[in-house]
Amino acid sequence: MPARARRRDRPDVAVLRVGHRPGRDPRLTTHLALAARALGASRLFLHPPDPDLAERIGAVSRRWGGTFDVIGVPAWKPVVEQFRGGVVHLTMYGEPLARAVPRLRKAARLLVVVGGAKVPPALFGVSDHNVAVGSQPHSEVAALAVLLDRLLGDLPPSRFRGAEQRIVPQRRGKRVLPVRRKGRQ
Amino acid sequence: MPARARRRDRPDVAVLRVGHRPGRDPRLTTHLALAARALGASRLFLHPPDPDLAERIGAVSRRWGGTFDVIGVPAWKPVVEQFRGGVVHLTMYGEPLARAVPRLRKAARLLVVVGGAKVPPALFGVSDHNVAVGSQPHSEVAALAVLLDRLLGDLPPSRFRGAEQRIVPQRRGKRVLPVRRKGRQ
């Protein structure tokens, strides 16, 4: 059984956030990390590192399951250069998502690079794919979410193993149940 | 010809952001507004009003086209009560998106309600649909983006008429062209 409960016909997707500003962007990068986790990415490389943020996301994973990790990186270039798989740069100037997706789905592993306010121009050159989620200015959180949804689709609940609690979907109101684990009382 | 270049087989979608905090959330709500615009919503009702944010989004529309509007509302309940169409509350506790989408697509008009950190419990009761984009904690920006993408799909460039400039999608680099308008030099 694979360590991660991803679908075998879909790539394993890691995300690299370049140019996070720990003082200014905590909420925005938190949203980016949570969206990456909820929509099926396996990890987030965070440049520069932000231990507080990593710890907050770790707490979410302990409670809600899964193996999503935030890994602080002091330099982004080595992550891109050493990645064994396709590198996807999300940019409003890139080729349309719909055209890129069939190609991206064939990859075993993808690294999705997401810039902040200022994107190093070098990113265009080192990426295998420059992909636009609509050729309009919007949000890297939104763009990442749409890309992951189109690549990975709906995730099975087993993707989030080891949770302390889980939601039972409801048309009205909230239903949250504790998860009993084997070997525990 | 319709005033908005939306696809006729898709609903017109308005978004209501409840509980925006002008001092604390400017960037997050800006991302929400830009994602709503880029992914095909027709307008954003913003509670409480934030004229600075509305002006910033207006500037984007003047430059990049389309008729997307930010409308400040001092109270959110009348917007929901007076809306003529289906009211969709995005919540991690709701029914799965995949199950709701076929029903939502049949609507002529939808109001998607997006809460912030604290969601008024009354929202569950007054909504026609409580919909979850995955039953995991994540981001209202990401959830809105995935919902709009699944409902409206890829938008034709004509959705953003009246732009001063437009992007020509590229596999490498950036290409932005000025848009010539009829009747102008």
Side-chain angles (χ1 to χ4, degrees):
Chain A
M1 204 187 302
R4 294 172 198 282
R6 77 176 173 86
R7 289 162 64 177
R8 279 167 185 259
D9 57 339
R10 297 285 182 266
D12 179 90
V13 182
V15 177
L16 166 62
R17 160 65 137 184
V18 173
H20 166 62
R21 294 169 298 183
R24 256 197 92 186
D25 296 338
R27 299 191 66 225
L28 210 52
T29 303
T30 298
H31 277 236
L32 188 83
L34 289 176
R37 176 186 170 276
L39 295 164
S42 57
R43 63 187 65 83
L44 173 71
F45 296 104
L46 183 55
H47 160 79
D50 183 340
D52 289 350
L53 192 146
E55 170 48 33
R56 282 201 304 280
I57 305 298
V60 171
S61 285
R62 285 192 292 280
R63 194 166 173 192
W64 294 98
T67 57
F68 184 81
D69 249 340
V70 176
I71 301 156
V73 293
W76 65 266
K77 247 187 177 168
V79 179
V80 172
E81 286 166 355
Q82 289 160 26
F83 187 77
R84 285 156 55 178
V87 176
V88 182
H89 173 209
L90 277 180
T91 162
M92 67 191 277
Y93 302 101
E95 68 170 323
L97 177 61
R99 210 163 63 193
V101 158
R103 226 162 53 235
L104 299 182
R105 275 216 184 126
K106 288 180 192 156
R109 304 179 71 219
L110 291 173
L111 177 69
V112 179
V113 188
V114 180
K118 285 188 186 175
V119 173
L123 262 177
F124 285 93
V126 295
S127 304
D128 302 304
H129 314 267
N130 290 289
V131 174
V133 178
S135 296
Q136 293 285 325
H138 61 113
S139 159
E140 61 266 29
V141 179
L144 177 66
V146 170
L147 172 73
L148 289 175
D149 185 52
R150 292 221 195 167
L151 270 182
L152 306 176
D154 286 308
L155 300 174
S158 61
R159 181 72 180 71
F160 301 98
R161 280 181 202 163
E164 295 172 1
Q165 58 183 42
R166 69 183 176 88
I167 287 168
V168 185
Q170 304 284 305
R171 284 201 173 193
R172 288 256 177 279
K174 305 179 182 183
R175 193 165 180 221
V176 183
L177 295 184
V179 175
R180 267 191 240 160
R181 301 196 197 170
K182 290 173 194 164
R184 282 201 189 180
Q185 290 290 319
Chain B
M1 203 187 303
R4 290 172 201 283
R6 76 175 174 87
R7 290 162 64 176
R8 279 168 183 258
D9 57 339
R10 297 286 182 264
D12 180 271
V13 182
V15 177
L16 166 62
R17 160 66 139 184
V18 173
H20 166 62
R21 294 168 299 181
R24 258 198 90 185
D25 296 338
R27 300 192 65 224
L28 211 51
T29 303
T30 298
H31 278 236
L32 189 83
L34 290 176
R37 174 186 171 277
L39 294 164
S42 57
R43 63 188 64 82
L44 173 71
F45 296 105
L46 184 55
H47 160 79
D50 183 340
D52 289 348
L53 192 146
E55 170 49 30
R56 282 201 304 279
I57 305 297
V60 170
S61 285
R62 284 192 293 281
R63 195 166 172 193
W64 293 98
T67 57
F68 185 81
D69 249 342
V70 176
I71 301 157
V73 294
W76 63 267
K77 245 186 178 168
V79 179
V80 172
E81 287 166 354
Q82 290 160 24
F83 187 77
R84 285 158 53 180
V87 176
V88 182
H89 173 209
L90 276 180
T91 162
M92 67 191 275
Y93 302 100
E95 68 171 323
L97 177 62
R99 209 163 64 196
V101 158
R103 227 161 52 237
L104 299 182
R105 275 216 184 124
K106 289 180 191 155
R109 303 181 70 218
L110 291 174
L111 177 69
V112 179
V113 188
V114 180
K118 285 188 185 175
V119 173
L123 262 178
F124 285 92
V126 295
S127 303
D128 301 305
H129 314 267
N130 291 289
V131 174
V133 178
S135 298
Q136 292 286 325
H138 58 116
S139 159
E140 61 265 30
V141 178
L144 177 67
V146 170
L147 172 72
L148 290 174
D149 186 52
R150 292 224 195 166
L151 272 181
L152 306 176
D154 286 307
L155 302 172
S158 60
R159 180 71 180 72
F160 300 97
R161 280 181 202 164
E164 294 171 1
Q165 58 183 44
R166 70 182 176 86
I167 286 168
V168 185
Q170 304 285 305
R171 286 201 173 191
R172 288 258 177 275
K174 306 179 179 182
R175 193 166 179 217
V176 183
L177 295 183
V179 176
R180 267 191 243 161
R181 302 197 197 172
K182 289 172 194 165
R184 283 201 189 180
Q185 291 290 318

